[in-house]
Amino acid sequence: MATVALTAENFDEVTGKEGIVLVDFWASWCGPCVRFAPTYERSSEKHPDITFGKVDTEAQQELAAKFDIRSIPTIMAVRDGVMVFSQPGALPESALESLIEQVEKLDMEDVRKQLATTATE
């Protein structure tokens, strides 16, 4: 599956659905972003059941600000509408695959309980 360009207009719609969405915050002038792009693309081809989105931080500055993106690339994982991971830095392919595996194995019922507990504290 090809990557999806995420914008302020479609971000909530795409990430709010059931399933896994990976988001790559990047910019064309960012060397590590450009080097990470082929890894991200290969991974998107291996996992057609996962949505791979890209946010151009230059064109989508409000989205970058909303998620407090201070360093790019930053990879974010959203599962069933819940952000479960966010970390700056280009991941090697093995680390990206490991991240996908971990997100797939999450018990989302448990994640929601933990979020509810944290929110009430």
Side-chain angles (χ1 to χ4, degrees), residues 78-105:
V78 180
R79 175 147 172 217
D80 301 341
V82 178
M83 184 182 20
V84 294
F85 178 87
S86 182
Q87 176 181 305
L91 298 174
E93 198 157 346
S94 60
L96 182 57
E97 291 299 317
S98 176
L99 169 63
I100 290 168
E101 207 173 286
Q102 291 173 54
V103 172
E104 288 174 333
K105 289 179 181 175

Side-chain angles (χ1 to χ4, degrees), residues 14-25:
V14 173
T15 60
K17 296 178 182 173
E18 292 292 307
I20 298 171
V21 180
L22 291 182
V23 182
D24 174 20
F25 288 87

